Each structure stands twice: as structure tokens, then as C-alpha cells.
Amino acid sequence: MDKNELIKKLNLANIPSSFYSLDDIKIPEGVSLVKEETIWKVYKTDRGKILTRKFFDTEDEACKYILKIFNGFPYN
């Protein structure tokens, strides 16, 4: 899965785009995906602070992790 596929799945699950960023840590609360060199990083933030971060070797792994985060989200 790549970012484009992830966006489609998040849209189908009615996850507001304001709850995630797939290019940088831009949002004060939500989930962000960042690629730094060869590592994909997923950050969960709240009130502008990073709560958790996970590192992945592939875009596919990172995108699947983001879907797991939103699994059971009240909007889907």
C-alpha cells in the first residue's frame, strides 16, 4: 500500500483529513507520516506534542500501521 491507497481507504472510512498528515508533522493532534531518507516514520501527536513514534522500513508497513490506528475510529 502507498500513500494514495491509504488516502482512499481513510476516505472510505470517513476519517477527516484534518486528523492526519502524510507529508510532514503539520497537525497538532493526529497522525503524521514522514519519510526521512529510507525510513518511514509515523507520529501520533496531541496538543502539539509527539506522544508516540514508530519507524518502518517500507511505505507499505507504515500505511498499514496508520490504518490500524484508525481502526474503530468513531467516524468509520
Side-chain angles (χ1 to χ4, degrees):
M1 175 183 324
D2 63 16
K3 291 192 294 186
N4 292 326
E5 292 173 84
L6 176 61
I7 290 168
K8 289 177 188 174
K9 290 181 185 241
L10 292 173
N11 286 338
L12 285 172
N14 296 318
I15 305 298
S17 61
S18 61
F19 285 34
Y20 62 88
S21 170
L22 302 181
D23 296 312
D24 200 354
I25 303 176
K26 297 180 193 171
I27 54 176
E29 296 183 24
V31 178
S32 298
L33 176 65
V34 179
K35 183 177 183 195
E36 293 180 5
E37 297 182 22
T38 62
I39 302 296
W40 292 86
K41 300 179 180 182
V42 177
Y43 296 92
K44 288 170 53 179
T45 56
D46 184 32
R47 298 181 194 140
K49 296 185 189 259
I50 296 172
L51 299 177
T52 61
R53 68 188 98 184
K54 289 220 173 224
F55 305 134
F56 300 92
D57 292 326
T58 67
E59 181 178 13
D60 179 65
E61 292 173 310
C63 290
K64 286 178 179 175
Y65 177 71
I66 290 172
L67 278 179
K68 284 183 184 180
I69 291 171
F70 285 112
N71 186 27
F73 191 73
Y75 289 96
N76 58 11

